[in-house]
Each structure stands twice: as C-alpha cells, then as structure tokens.
Amino acid sequence: MRAMNSSVKTLERLPLFPFPAVKRITRRCAEISSFGLVSQKKSSLAGAIWSRMSQSLDSVQCSEGKAGVALPATDAHVEEAIEAIKAEEVIAVPTDTLYGFACDACSSEAVNRIYEIKGRKQTSPLAISVGDVSDISRFAIVDHLPHDLLYSLLPGPVTLVLKRGDSSILEKSLNPGLDSIGVRVPDFEFIRSIARGSGSALALTSANLSGQPSSVSIKDFENLWQHCAYVYDGGVLPSGRAGSTVVDLTNPGSFKILRPGSARPETTAILEKFGLEEVP
C-alpha cells in the first residue's frame, strides 16, 4: 500500500501532456478509455493513471495550439504540417532566407493569428508563398511579364510584388485595401511541399516580434514557439538576416527594388537582361 501511494503521488506531480501529443493520443482515446475502465476495477494504480490522463487531455483540448514543438524540417513531417495548415493553424518554417510564420492565406482566422503572434498592425501586408512558379498565376497577374522571367528569378530569395487582379483566388481579407500581393517561391523544398499539399497559398512573414531582428535559427524566436502548432527546424540559415529581395513588378517594362535584401545584384541583373528598366 505504501508503494502504491508513492506511485500515485508521483503521478500527481507529472506535467500535463503538451499539445503535440493530442493528435496521437486522441486517435486511440476510445480504446484507452475502455482499457482504463477495466483496469480501474483491477488496480487503483491503473485507475490513477487513467484519471491523470483524462485530466491531461481535458487541459490540452482547452489550450490547443498554445504549446509548439520543434521537429526537423524533413519529408517525414510534411504531412502533419499540411494537416496543421488545413486546420487553420500557424506553423514556423525555414525558407531559403529566414524563418517564417506560415498559415493558409485563405483563412482570415489563421491570418489574424499571425498578426497577434507578431504584435503587428494589420495594415502591414503579408506576402504569400506558393509551391511552384506555375502557381503564381492563380493568385496574381503575370501576363505583362516577359516570357520565362519568373522562371529565371524563382525559386529563389526574391519576393515579387504583383497585382492581384479579379481572377485571384486569394481572400479579400488578406491585405485589405491593397490591389497587389508579394509572392515567394523559396528555394527550400520543405515549405514548397507544404504549399503544394495545402492546395492553397501560404501567408508568410518573418518569425519574430514586429520590429525585432529576423530569425535565422529557431532559437531566435523560442519565446514564440508556444503560439505555433509546430516549429520546424532547418538548422541555422546561411543567408544572414537581410531576408528576400523585394521587387515591384506591377508596371509593364519596369521594376522597382522595394527592399535590397540578400539578392539585389543578381535580381537586378536578371531583370535588366529581360529588358526591364529600373525606376527609383
């Protein structure tokens, strides 16, 4: 009896299960419940285990999305990331420049959550990330651009600002009042696979508090993990904290560099090669 009391006290000190365990646990919740009820009749210790598990599940369900977990940014974790995006959750992912917060660009609830996490004004626009260059025309107007220009610039560390147009499938709630959108196709297969699998575009912004330095490691924004369903670790990113080069391509025949970023010389050279003129 003394040993059993000691075991129960130990169980009472155990922490509640974190959010990432919920999906794995709830799949077998009915089976566990049945097993627990039978075991409770046989052993008060087993009953204590089940009681503690039930308390943990109740707590997790009340705070879902409040406890992120770091996982490697590998193919093995693409499907769960896609599921999180489809569930209108926010995840943190590496790109070819910086770490970013990503969600379904067509979910106003998820987009609003990104603004809340960053402490950012909703008047500041978000860019989108798509899986392939051919997807860009679903979200923005590209007919005025020279043939093959997009494929020369992307995938890569460049954000192209383009007009949405009436045919864009983006929700009007994303960057309301703006007729343009920044589009990325990062040279990083993990985030591109997530975008493809989601069937949508990912709203994407740097993983940091507004006004703070950008993140090149998941440790840089560790204080914000708790607000993400998942945090995917791609190691320390080598491009520095400059981010992508942002270029305005809304006007035919010209371009304007809005942010130098990490690839201005290469970007400018490609644009000029295709006959576009830089404007101040």
Side-chain angles (χ1 to χ4, degrees):
M1 178 64 73
R2 185 180 298 109
M4 184 176 293
N5 289 339
S6 176
S7 298
V8 172
K9 289 180 179 179
T10 299
L11 285 168
E12 289 175 348
R13 292 196 297 269
L14 289 174
L16 298 180
F17 294 134
F19 162 67
V22 163
K23 291 181 181 178
R24 293 190 295 273
I25 294 173
T26 52
R27 290 191 186 106
R28 295 183 58 82
C29 189
E31 296 175 356
I32 293 173
S33 176
S34 176
F35 171 79
L37 290 174
V38 172
S39 299
Q40 189 173 13
K41 295 177 181 179
K42 295 181 178 180
S43 167
S44 60
L45 177 57
I49 292 173
W50 172 242
S51 176
R52 188 60 181 168
M53 182 179 290
S54 298
Q55 293 173 25
S56 297
L57 285 171
D58 289 343
S59 175
V60 170
Q61 289 167 355
C62 290
S63 59
E64 184 171 327
K66 296 297 184 182
V69 59
L71 298 168
T74 60
D75 291 346
H77 296 289
V78 167
E79 287 303 319
E80 70 194 6
I82 292 172
E83 289 180 10
I85 293 297
K86 289 182 176 181
E88 300 183 295
E89 295 170 341
V90 174
I91 61 175
V93 291
T95 71
D96 52 355
T97 53
L98 304 169
Y99 278 85
F101 292 131
C103 72
D104 184 353
C106 291
S107 166
S108 58
E109 180 179 342
V111 168
N112 287 337
R113 180 147 181 77
I114 280 186
Y115 280 108
E116 291 173 0
I117 294 172
K118 287 181 65 71
R120 185 177 186 179
K121 295 180 179 179
Q122 297 201 6
T123 53
S124 299
L126 299 180
I128 63 170
S129 178
V130 298
D132 296 287
V133 175
S134 58
D135 294 327
I136 297 176
S137 59
R138 298 172 59 202
F139 305 96
I141 297 175
V142 297
D143 296 343
H144 63 294
L145 298 175
H147 185 65
D148 287 340
L149 172 61
L150 294 179
Y151 289 92
S152 297
L153 291 169
L154 301 169
V158 185
T159 298
L160 305 181
V161 177
L162 300 163
K163 290 183 178 179
R164 293 194 195 195
D166 295 332
S167 61
S168 175
I169 66 173
L170 284 175
E171 290 288 330
K172 300 298 184 183
S173 59
L174 180 68
N175 305 340
L178 294 179
D179 63 355
S180 60
I181 186 70
V183 184
R184 288 217 62 199
V185 184
D187 190 11
F188 202 109
E189 188 59 29
F190 184 73
I191 186 174
R192 292 177 65 191
S193 296
I194 297 170
R196 291 188 196 107
S198 72
S200 182
L202 304 179
L204 183 66
T205 185
S206 57
N208 61 319
L209 288 174
S210 185
Q212 296 299 309
S214 300
S215 300
V216 295
S217 164
I218 61 171
K219 293 294 184 181
D220 291 342
F221 61 98
E222 191 170 5
N223 60 317
L224 300 176
W225 289 11
Q226 62 182 321
H227 302 296
C228 301
Y230 298 104
V231 175
Y232 293 101
D233 188 358
V236 178
L237 304 181
S239 64
R241 301 181 190 275
S244 63
T245 296
V246 182
V247 55
D248 185 342
L249 291 179
T250 56
N251 295 314
S254 66
F255 70 93
K256 182 176 182 179
I257 300 295
L258 302 180
R259 184 177 73 187
S262 58
R264 174 168 185 165
E266 303 93 317
T267 301
T268 298
I270 292 172
L271 293 168
E272 291 178 343
K273 178 182 177 181
F274 277 85
L276 274 66
E277 180 181 355
E278 183 173 5
V279 297

